[in-house]
């Protein structure tokens, strides 16, 4: 069991008495490997964007929960996910994104598969120029398919196949965001970042505004800590800025139509557990796929979306770029503090820390979800 009974009880206690996860949860390779299996493989996780496989024949390789996978846009217009490994000798098939493919062909012995994963050909398998496979015909040699679904322009997977249906996993957040009509957004830019820090530290930082005055003074000037409130639900948690008014010099982007008055100057920054940072403001939607790479390294892919086809026009280019520049500046500020947080986890005297009952109910909930995932099966509405 990754957490002792004492550690589990400490993390899951009421916030006034709780202690944070122990240091090894942020530094230990064995703990990280347990998280990969229990937290990421058992949950619905984001692995790619639909923009990565826009057209039939597009194939996009990823590593998710330590597994080599491919996202495939089939000629039946379905997006599927497979393990990126040939059934013959276990070769990784696809190394880089590719387009306009009719077949998935192994580079080793040229076994080929259709885009729905079915084994198509086994050249010379039964002899020179004899492509028959009598020893294989009684058992499937198709690519291993992964349970997947599409949610708000994100390709989601559940590796074990045991999680609740995706619609249940996202139901409460879907209801919350119904006014935003996210189905009608269009992509408008992307970026990536690497953090020399454990994935949990990256997300814990995202979940609270307590650090804004010290770490993000510019952000705090137009989205101040005093105007942030926290949201704690079952599988989504985060914060709201109730007075989101960045200075865009009058070059505003198109906005979501028909928003209720309380949403017209609000920004929502939420985590869909365990690895999707999702946020929406009156003029854009963005998603960040957080991919743990080791106990001390984390990768992020950001995708920005804007409202309606009009937002892609040249006249809004400066405004689109302005959004990305702001986010880049805040993220660079975070990198320094996250590396300091990671360094602090080497201290023999640090015991996990206490939580602010005002500012860190989200952080506490996140650590409880991690603990529950490690020690028991996690399902919505818990």
């Amino acid at each position: 069991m990754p957490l002792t009974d004492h550690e589990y009880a400490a993390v899951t206690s009421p916030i006034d008495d709780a202690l944070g996860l122990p240091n090894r949860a942020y530094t230990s390779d064995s703990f990280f490997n347990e998280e990969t299996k229990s937290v990421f493989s058992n949950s619905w996780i984001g692995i790619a964007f639909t923009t990565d496989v826009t057209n039939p024949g597009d194939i996009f390789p990823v590593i998710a929960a330590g597994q080599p996978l491919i996202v495939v846009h089939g000629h039946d217009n379905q997006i599927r996910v497979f393990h990126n490994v040939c059934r013959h000798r276990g070769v990784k098939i696809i190394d880089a994104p590719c387009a306009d493919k009719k077949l998935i062909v192994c580079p080793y012995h040229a076994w080929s598969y259709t885009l729905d994963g079915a084994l198509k050909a086994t050249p010379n398998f039964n002899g020179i120029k004899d492509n028959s496979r009598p020893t294989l015909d009684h058992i499937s040699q198709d690519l291993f398919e992964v349970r997947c679904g599409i949610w708000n322009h994100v390709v989601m997977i559940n590796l074990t196949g045991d999680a609740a249906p995706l619609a249940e996993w996202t139901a409460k957040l879907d209801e919350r965001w119904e006014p935003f009509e996210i189905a009608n957004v269009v992509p408008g830019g992307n970026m990536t970042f690497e953090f020399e820090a454990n994935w949990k530290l990256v997300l814990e930082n995202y979940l609270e505004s307590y650090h804004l005055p010290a770490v993000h003074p510019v952000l705090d000037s137009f989205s101040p800590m005093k105007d942030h409130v926290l949201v704690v639900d079952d599988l989504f948690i985060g914060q709201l800025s109730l007075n989101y008014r960045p200075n865009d010099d009058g070059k505003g982007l198109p906005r979501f139509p028909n928003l209720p008055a309380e949403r017209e100057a609000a920004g929502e920054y939420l985590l869909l557990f365990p690895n999707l940072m999702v946020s929406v403001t009156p003029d854009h939607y963005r998603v960040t796929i957080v991919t743990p790479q080791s106990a001390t390294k984390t990768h992020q892919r950001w995708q920005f979306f804007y409202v309606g086809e009009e937002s892609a026009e040249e006249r809004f280019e400066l405004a689109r770029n302005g959004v990305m520049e702001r986010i880049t500046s805040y993220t660079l500020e975070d990198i320094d503090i996250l590396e300091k947080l990671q360094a602090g986890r080497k201290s023999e005297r640090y015991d996990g820390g206490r939580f602010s009952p005002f500012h860190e109910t989200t952080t506490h909930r996140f650590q409880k979800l991690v603990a529950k995932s490690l020690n028991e099966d996690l399902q919505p509405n818990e």
Side-chain angles (χ1 to χ4, degrees):
M1 187 174 293
L3 295 172
T4 67
D5 291 343
H6 174 75
E7 290 167 338
Y8 182 82
V11 172
T12 57
S13 292
I15 192 169
D16 290 344
D17 301 315
L19 277 176
L21 290 165
N23 276 355
R24 73 176 188 284
Y26 300 87
T27 61
S28 162
D29 290 336
S30 61
F31 196 99
F32 175 78
N33 292 336
E34 287 293 334
E35 287 179 327
T36 298
K37 292 186 294 185
S38 300
V39 180
F40 282 82
S41 295
N42 287 330
S43 303
W44 282 100
I45 60 173
I47 64 166
F49 303 107
T50 53
T51 51
D52 294 323
V53 285
T54 303
N55 301 308
D58 289 353
I59 304 175
F60 189 79
V62 298
I63 301 293
Q67 299 297 303
L69 307 174
I70 47 175
V71 183
V72 180
H73 190 148
H75 292 290
D76 58 358
N77 216 34
Q78 295 297 305
I79 292 177
R80 298 179 177 87
V81 177
F82 302 99
H83 284 269
N84 186 9
V85 58
C86 181
R87 292 294 302 272
H88 178 213
R89 304 307 304 160
V91 171
K92 181 182 176 184
I93 305 174
I94 303 294
D95 282 326
C98 47
D100 199 28
K101 293 295 183 180
K102 302 295 189 293
L103 294 170
I104 301 167
V105 182
C106 175
Y108 195 18
H109 299 104
W111 280 31
S112 64
Y113 304 84
T114 61
L115 298 192
D116 62 3
L119 180 62
K120 176 71 172 177
T122 54
N124 302 306
F125 182 78
N126 210 40
I128 304 303
K129 296 185 179 180
D130 184 350
N131 301 337
S132 64
R133 45 182 188 268
T135 60
L136 304 180
D137 284 342
H138 66 291
I139 53 174
S140 172
Q141 293 295 298
D142 298 343
L143 294 178
F144 290 111
E145 188 166 1
V146 177
R147 185 187 186 195
C148 74
I150 306 298
W151 178 77
N152 284 351
H153 311 280
V154 182
V155 180
M156 308 283 290
I157 64 163
N158 169 225
L159 280 163
T160 63
D162 296 331
L166 179 58
E168 292 182 18
W169 199 266
T170 65
K172 289 189 176 182
L173 185 51
D174 292 334
E175 181 180 358
R176 178 179 184 86
W177 278 2
E178 186 176 0
F180 288 99
E181 302 178 19
I182 291 172
N184 296 324
V185 297
V186 297
N190 58 77
M191 55 193 185
T192 63
F193 292 96
E194 304 286 342
F195 298 83
E196 297 293 328
N198 184 270
W199 70 279
K200 294 185 295 299
L201 294 176
V202 174
L203 291 174
E204 289 168 15
N205 179 71
Y206 176 72
L207 290 173
E208 50 94 344
S209 58
Y210 195 13
H211 69 288
L212 290 190
V215 179
H216 305 299
V218 174
L219 176 59
D220 193 57
S221 70
F222 66 81
S223 183
M225 179 179 67
K226 68 180 180 63
D227 290 333
H228 282 239
V229 296
L230 301 181
V231 175
V232 179
D233 209 288
D234 53 356
L235 294 178
F236 76 86
I237 45 181
Q239 53 181 312
L240 315 181
S241 171
L242 302 181
N243 189 25
Y244 178 82
R245 300 180 187 276
N247 180 9
D248 58 13
D249 298 321
K251 304 180 182 68
L253 286 157
R255 297 164 66 87
F256 287 103
N258 306 315
L259 285 180
E262 67 271 15
R263 284 338 222 301
E264 289 181 351
E268 305 201 359
Y269 314 98
L270 305 176
L271 164 68
L272 181 62
F273 188 82
N275 82 319
L276 278 189
M277 293 162 48
V278 289
S279 63
V280 65
T281 69
D283 61 8
H284 75 277
Y285 160 67
R286 68 179 183 264
V287 183
T288 308
I289 296 174
V290 177
T291 303
Q293 296 185 315
S294 72
T296 59
K297 181 174 289 188
T298 304
H299 177 77
Q300 284 187 353
R301 286 188 71 208
W302 297 65
Q303 179 66 58
F304 292 76
F305 299 87
Y306 300 98
V307 181
E309 297 292 338
E310 177 190 22
S311 66
E313 295 175 4
E314 185 177 357
R315 62 194 173 108
F316 292 115
E317 182 178 3
L318 287 177
R320 295 193 305 271
N321 290 343
V323 171
M324 294 183 63
E325 288 166 4
R326 286 199 304 272
I327 301 305
T328 297
S329 68
Y330 311 149
T331 305
L332 293 175
E333 291 169 344
D334 280 329
I335 287 175
D336 179 65
I337 202 70
L338 286 166
E339 291 180 353
K340 288 180 169 66
L341 280 163
Q342 185 66 44
R345 292 306 186 275
K346 295 179 181 178
S347 170
E348 294 179 352
R349 300 304 303 272
Y350 183 72
D351 62 358
R354 304 298 294 267
F355 299 95
S356 162
F358 182 82
H359 290 287
E360 294 175 312
T361 55
T362 47
T363 311
H364 181 228
R365 174 62 177 166
F366 170 71
Q367 292 200 14
K368 286 175 66 174
L369 288 172
V370 171
K372 286 178 178 289
S373 297
L374 288 167
N375 284 38
E376 57 191 80
D377 290 334
L378 181 68
Q379 296 295 337
N381 304 313
E382 291 186 349

